[in-house]
Amino acid sequence: MTPGNEPTFRQSVDLMFNRAVALMDLRPGLEEKIRVCNATYTVRFGVRLRGHIQTFTGYRSVHSEHMEPVKGGIRYAPSVNQDEVEALAALMTYKCALVEAPFGGSKGGLCIDPREYDEHELELITRRFAYELAKRDLINPAQNVPAPDMGTSEREMAWIADQYARMNTTDINARACVTGKPLNAGGISGRVEATGRGVQYALREFFRHPEDVKAAGLSGTLDGKRVIVQGLGNVGYHAAKFLEEEDGAKIVGIIERDGALYNQAGLDVEAVRNWMVKHGGVASYPDASHTAEGAAVLEAECDILIPAALEGVINLKNAHEIKAPLIIEAANGPITAGADDILRERGTVIIPDMYANAGGVTVSYFEWVKNLSHIRFGRMQRRQEEARHELIVRELERLSEHLGDKWSMTPNFKSKYLRGADELELVRSGLDDTMRIAYQSMREIWHGREDVSDLRTAAYIASIEKVAASYRAKGL
Ligand code: NAD
């Protein structure tokens, strides 16, 4: 492959899929059934804005209905097209299977630059888009459940939920029609940061295995590791912030639309984000050097590279120049199939997108379950758990009374132990568990099979096996 004939995003996903299925023993015909995208709906609709009618084009693609509802975000970007939406829908199928979220794969997109519209206009456009999708059951708690993606956030999800509820006034589960909503509209604690949190948990799990860390030519823990992140949006910001504040990683580079910041001593992620929000970009941020050609910083020296913006950024043109020994794909599809071949040959360890950014859909799953059960997680157990812990602490205190101060509990232990888990703690625990278990399932294949030399192929094999089992159970 040469830079001129780079495959499209969708072809890239299919090439990676093909590489994995070639190592599997699927029943004849099943390979194609799993690979193809079941349906893609294109909607065109008009909204009257600023005195004239503007026509918008949107998509909702359903890749696989081996489980329903199908799940996947809605992206707002001018570059949205059918190929991209189908690639992202396919990745959702494999991602949900890998982390055992009981969904098929879907994705949506609207060709729009959200920065060109004010909030009221965006609400009109989003409600109309939601109307077009909902009336075709492409938004529905039992069939198709969107979530945020690039260019959308909990604000858009709240409008979508409200639009669906207006159209389905007697649906008691209406709130489960979309996830990533704000808390006051049926959301769940910890969803906003879930994808970034998942990236952190994925890296923590990776660093629990010295053998894997060694495979990337690294050693030790996350503490002090030099990190470059591309895209300081929802996913990139949270991942970088948590790694910096909680794991001691050093964020040496941040790449944004208007160039890249670099500081060998480490950047203050919160300060950069605040600067970006205030000034609309990173360019004039004072405590770092700035490079206008941001993508060049993907090639800078670092220990961990986190592409967290968009697809295809590591491709045939720059793959040879990438120095990071470990790449974690926080974005969907940041490495093209051709670049993946090059990096694999050079021994770069890649933690693949379908695993690395699965934190979002995992917590979306929890939100959907919360909406269907109509009760906040922990509401029934929390105080009861505290009461039982109190009993134990009191009894221990009584028993140790005559033993003197040396044997009394530290106040820190006591207050921590006495506190029952709230929703946020339960969400984090469920996410951590999910990320650990999914990593184990990839790892077993990566290390257990002679013919598998990378985590991406292992991830595809683990997830395709699960999709194939679902089809078998359906009698196909
Ligand atoms: P976002 O819109 O919140 O952030 C994207 C960021 O990337 C923005 O800060 C933007 O300015 C920056 N950016 C855009 N083009 C860039 C470029 N050419 N160079 C550098 N920076 C650029 O989006 P997000 O929700 O953080 O999504 C980012 C990626 O993560 C996407 O690939 C998305 O599919 C994936 N993802 C998101 C979620 C989620 O829960 N939001 C879940 C799974 C995967």
Side-chain angles (χ1 to χ4, degrees), residues 163-216:
Q163 185 63 33
Y164 179 87
R166 286 185 192 189
M167 294 165 70
N168 298 274
T169 49
T170 56
D171 184 348
I172 195 170
N173 292 322
R175 281 186 154 179
C177 76
V178 64
T179 57
K181 303 178 292 291
L183 259 184
N184 63 7
I188 193 167
S189 307
R191 173 60 182 93
V192 173
E193 67 271 30
T195 311
R197 185 64 81 187
V199 171
Q200 176 197 31
Y201 288 169
L203 278 172
R204 282 186 179 174
E205 180 58 16
F206 180 85
F207 276 87
R208 278 191 197 105
H209 302 279
E211 205 185 330
D212 302 0
V213 177
K214 199 169 160 215

Side-chain angles (χ1 to χ4, degrees), residues 75 149-151 191 195 231 233-235 256-257 308-309 331-332 357:
R75 174 177 287 198
D149 193 73
M150 226 168 97
R191 173 60 182 93
T195 311
N234 178 303
V235 179
E256 256 297 328
R257 286 178 205 266
N332 282 307
N357 66 35

Side-chain angles (χ1 to χ4, degrees), residues 100-367:
E100 296 182 334
F103 303 124
S106 182
K107 201 80 182 191
L110 188 64
C111 300
I112 183 179
D113 185 347
R115 292 170 303 174
E116 285 177 5
Y117 299 89
D118 66 29
E119 185 163 349
H120 177 63
E121 291 170 332
L122 279 173
E123 180 174 349
L124 290 176
I125 298 163
T126 301
R127 283 185 180 277
R128 185 59 204 259
F129 185 30
Y131 170 81
E132 295 296 331
L133 296 180
K135 78 174 184 188
R136 296 173 172 92
D137 281 338
L138 291 163
I139 296 177
N140 182 306
Q143 249 176 276
N144 199 322
V145 183
D149 193 73
M150 226 168 97
T152 56
S153 65
E154 54 178 27
R155 181 184 65 175
E156 285 74 15
M157 302 307 117
W159 293 331
I160 292 173
D162 185 62
Q163 185 63 33
Y164 179 87
R166 286 185 192 189
M167 294 165 70
N168 298 274
T169 49
T170 56
D171 184 348
I172 195 170
N173 292 322
R175 281 186 154 179
C177 76
V178 64
T179 57
K181 303 178 292 291
L183 259 184
N184 63 7
I188 193 167
S189 307
R191 173 60 182 93
V192 173
E193 67 271 30
T195 311
R197 185 64 81 187
V199 171
Q200 176 197 31
Y201 288 169
L203 278 172
R204 282 186 179 174
E205 180 58 16
F206 180 85
F207 276 87
R208 278 191 197 105
H209 302 279
E211 205 185 330
D212 302 0
V213 177
K214 199 169 160 215
L218 295 169
S219 61
T221 65
L222 273 166
D223 192 34
K225 292 285 178 295
R226 298 161 306 159
V227 175
I228 293 178
V229 58
Q230 182 188 41
L232 206 62
N234 178 303
V235 179
Y237 160 67
H238 287 110
K241 179 183 156 78
F242 298 148
L243 289 168
E244 180 203 3
E245 290 177 359
E246 297 170 18
D247 298 288
K250 217 159 41 156
I251 313 300
V252 295
I254 291 177
I255 309 168
E256 256 297 328
R257 286 178 205 266
D258 62 336
L261 300 177
Y262 193 84
N263 185 342
Q264 195 86 48
L267 291 152
D268 178 339
V269 175
E270 195 61 37
V272 177
R273 171 80 168 196
N274 289 339
W275 185 273
M276 216 176 109
V277 170
K278 198 163 166 205
H279 301 272
V282 295
S284 48
Y285 182 74
D287 298 323
S289 63
H290 177 259
T291 317
E293 187 38 61
V297 173
L298 288 169
E299 299 164 19
E301 290 276 354
C302 66
D303 300 310
I304 306 170
L305 179 60
I306 312 183
L310 64 169
E311 60 266 18
V313 293
I314 300 174
N315 45 48
L316 292 171
K317 284 192 208 120
N318 63 0
H320 284 289
E321 307 304 327
I322 302 292
K323 299 185 189 58
L326 175 63
I327 305 177
I328 177 158
E329 294 183 313
N332 282 307
I335 300 177
T336 63
D340 192 59
D341 288 340
I342 295 168
L343 291 166
R344 218 168 345 106
E345 262 166 45
R346 288 176 45 197
T348 309
V349 172
I350 299 168
I351 304 180
D353 48 7
M354 80 170 76
Y355 166 70
N357 66 35
V361 74
T362 300
V363 177
S364 274
Y365 167 39
F366 302 155
E367 180 178 334

Side-chain angles (χ1 to χ4, degrees), residues 54-94:
Q54 285 191 38
T55 303
F56 295 90
T57 304
Y59 304 91
R60 188 76 185 157
S61 177
V62 176
H63 175 262
S64 176
E65 292 148 293
H66 67 286
M67 283 198 188
E68 281 183 308
V70 293
K71 190 106 192 60
I74 290 185
R75 174 177 287 198
Y76 282 7
S79 53
V80 161
N81 59 66
Q82 183 170 344
D83 184 279
E84 178 186 84
V85 172
E86 290 187 356
L88 291 165
L91 281 174
M92 282 307 297
T93 296
Y94 310 133

